[in-house]
Amino acid sequence: MTLAARIRTTRPVFATLLAATLAGCSLNPFGRSEPEQVPVSRDGQSTTQPVSIAEPRQRRPVQNAPRITQAESSPLSATAPDQYVVKRGDTLWDISAMFLRDPWYWPEIWQVNPQIENPHLIYPGDLLSLIYVDGLPRIMLQRGGGRSARLSPGVRVIPLDEAITTIPYEAISAFLTRAAVLEKEEVDALPYILQARGDHLISSAGVDLYARGDIEGVGSRYSVVHVDGPLLDPDDDTVVGYEALYVGDGTVRRGGDPSTLFVNQSQREILNGDRLISKDVVIPLNFFPKAPDTAVDGRIISVIDGVSRIGQYQVVVINRGERDGLANGDVLDILRAGEEIRDRYSKNSVILGEKVRLPDENAGTLMLFKIYDRISYGLIMNAESEIRVLDIIRSP
């Protein structure tokens, strides 16, 4: 696995062990075998507060192994706990940030336990322990190790969807059904509104619509979107997609060709030719935060909901995708391009002043969660300063 240039230079000590540790292990847990059957306490309580950081204690390194100091070569946070019990409401990003200076180091310290099925999935009640192997920090997983409930002879199966997600589902739930940048092939494949019942040119909530295309059966829910103008890659002015504006949603009340869709709500007028996107979209959110496998340099080209200034947990579109080596979980830095100004004080300046470009400055971090060929969706994980469309994205 080839890491980004900066990571190769700052963390060479991990390269060999990383290859051995993660060889043959998919970063996407979906498609693997079901998790092991273990007892689980279900008290019905929901914990939604932010991850709490346990009070750090004196660690005991493996005998005869040198202790790693908190230096540039160590990815550990200065306040990393020895142990942490996973709680409901946690995300893998939060847990990674608890143990590490930068969450995308997580794959390098994760200790795969061959005795645990689906070792990449982490559940509430699991115990994470910080240990040292040959002097290097590792996080070990003990399935259900943090549960204090008394175990009985019976077992319960932990559903796959109870595993903690990498990013909070609530942060992208609106995106899943209300906003999109669609590739040309996607637009052509989507079902569309043929006509409104009663021959309305403009429709709204409470109206039946006749629709054609690949539509699910009665009871299926759809978002209605208006396909807007093309979205251009600022590097070469190539059309990379089309913005889809959410206008309403409805439910299929009668199948056939055409099908009948009842409009439950609308935010603006619905026109003949508007497209339908299934509301039952499922995006796997269980993956490891990591640095891209290749060096990436691109730009933010759109922000969902059309706001001009972007903050934490907003969804953006970048002009890089699968063909650039990107994958779900990849973390990228966001930089504000340095402004070009005139130096009126240099002795070499002409009358108007020499043009000088100021350095690019860090503005935040984003994580990718949906990848296409030339574009990708990313969630802003933190914003250190104002973020805007056309800001630079780059490998950390």
Side-chain angles (χ1 to χ4, degrees):
M1 180 180 294
T2 304
L3 297 178
R6 179 179 170 187
I7 294 179
R8 288 199 303 267
T9 59
T10 57
R11 299 169 296 143
V13 68
F14 294 102
T16 303
L17 190 55
L18 171 61
T21 304
L22 298 181
C25 296
S26 170
L27 293 181
N28 184 352
F30 289 82
R32 296 173 64 92
S33 56
E34 290 296 317
E36 65 175 354
Q37 295 184 349
V38 295
V40 57
S41 173
R42 298 173 183 259
D43 55 13
Q45 296 183 355
S46 175
T47 304
T48 57
Q49 66 270 23
V51 176
S52 59
I53 299 179
E55 184 68 27
R57 301 185 300 276
Q58 182 67 35
R59 303 187 189 94
R60 296 181 179 179
V62 176
Q63 188 174 7
N64 299 326
R67 176 70 181 275
I68 288 185
T69 60
Q70 184 61 34
E72 182 63 25
S73 61
S74 172
L76 289 179
S77 166
T79 57
D82 285 334
Q83 294 184 330
Y84 180 74
V85 178
V86 181
K87 300 179 177 61
R88 296 186 185 276
D90 286 351
T91 65
L92 183 55
W93 179 270
D94 294 329
I95 293 175
S96 301
M98 180 195 313
F99 282 96
L100 303 170
R101 289 186 288 110
D102 298 302
W104 54 86
Y105 285 118
W106 184 262
E108 300 199 15
I109 71 166
W110 180 247
Q111 182 70 42
V112 176
N113 187 338
Q115 298 179 345
I116 294 180
E117 296 183 71
N118 275 336
H120 297 300
L121 296 182
I122 303 175
Y123 295 90
D126 286 350
L127 176 66
L128 304 178
S129 300
L130 177 61
I131 64 171
Y132 288 83
V133 178
D134 295 330
L136 300 177
R138 292 290 177 264
I139 300 294
M140 285 291 293
L141 168 67
Q142 182 179 347
R143 189 71 81 203
R147 300 186 184 99
S148 58
R150 181 179 179 181
L151 303 182
S152 62
V155 296
R156 296 179 182 177
V157 176
I158 302 179
L160 186 65
D161 59 7
E162 283 195 9
I164 66 169
T165 57
T166 304
I167 54 181
Y169 174 81
E170 296 77 10
I172 66 168
S173 59
F175 152 80
L176 295 178
T177 58
R178 288 181 171 238
V181 171
L182 305 172
E183 294 185 313
K184 181 64 165 60
E185 295 75 14
E186 284 186 292
V187 174
D188 295 338
L190 290 175
Y192 57 90
I193 303 300
L194 177 64
Q195 181 177 295
R197 182 180 178 182
D199 201 23
H200 298 283
L201 294 179
I202 297 176
S203 305
S204 58
V207 172
D208 279 333
L209 304 174
Y210 299 125
R212 300 196 70 194
D214 186 11
I215 298 175
E216 300 292 333
V218 174
S220 300
R221 303 173 302 154
Y222 284 88
S223 292
V224 184
V225 298
H226 178 73
V227 179
D228 207 3
L231 193 63
L232 302 178
D233 187 328
D235 290 346
D236 55 15
D237 289 332
T238 301
V239 175
V240 292
Y242 295 84
E243 293 190 83
L245 305 177
Y246 172 82
V247 296
D249 60 64
T251 304
V252 177
R253 68 191 319 178
R254 181 171 56 197
D257 184 18
S259 298
T260 302
L261 183 84
F262 177 75
V263 180
N264 299 317
Q265 62 175 343
S266 59
Q267 291 189 351
R268 53 184 290 181
E269 65 275 7
I270 298 174
L271 306 176
N272 295 341
D274 282 348
R275 299 286 173 162
L276 302 178
I277 298 179
S278 174
K279 294 195 70 170
D280 298 321
V281 179
V282 176
I283 294 182
L285 297 181
N286 299 88
F287 43 77
F288 277 169
K290 66 181 186 68
D293 294 342
T294 57
V296 176
D297 198 322
R299 290 183 180 271
I300 295 174
I301 59 174
S302 179
V303 55
I304 302 307
D305 293 336
V307 298
S308 59
R309 298 181 180 182
I310 307 165
Q312 186 182 36
Y313 291 159
Q314 285 188 280
V315 176
V316 298
V317 182
I318 67 171
N319 64 335
R320 295 292 182 264
E322 187 175 8
R323 74 173 191 171
D324 303 292
L326 294 176
N328 284 342
D330 283 352
V331 177
L332 298 169
D333 284 338
I334 305 170
L335 300 98
R336 292 299 311 275
E339 181 184 359
E340 189 177 76
I341 64 173
R342 289 187 179 274
D343 181 0
R344 303 178 185 276
Y345 309 103
S346 171
K347 63 181 181 180
N348 299 322
S349 296
V350 293
I351 296 176
L352 294 178
E354 177 187 3
K355 288 185 177 180
V356 178
R357 181 177 173 187
L358 300 179
D360 299 337
E361 297 290 350
N362 290 332
T365 304
L366 66 82
M367 176 185 286
L368 303 181
F369 64 89
K370 188 172 178 61
I371 313 294
Y372 292 94
D373 183 49
R374 292 196 55 163
I375 60 176
S376 301
Y377 286 105
L379 183 69
I380 304 296
M381 301 309 299
N382 67 282
E384 299 175 10
S385 63
E386 184 177 279
I387 299 173
R388 294 181 178 179
V389 171
L390 295 184
D391 276 354
I392 299 166
I393 54 99
R394 191 171 292 162
S395 303

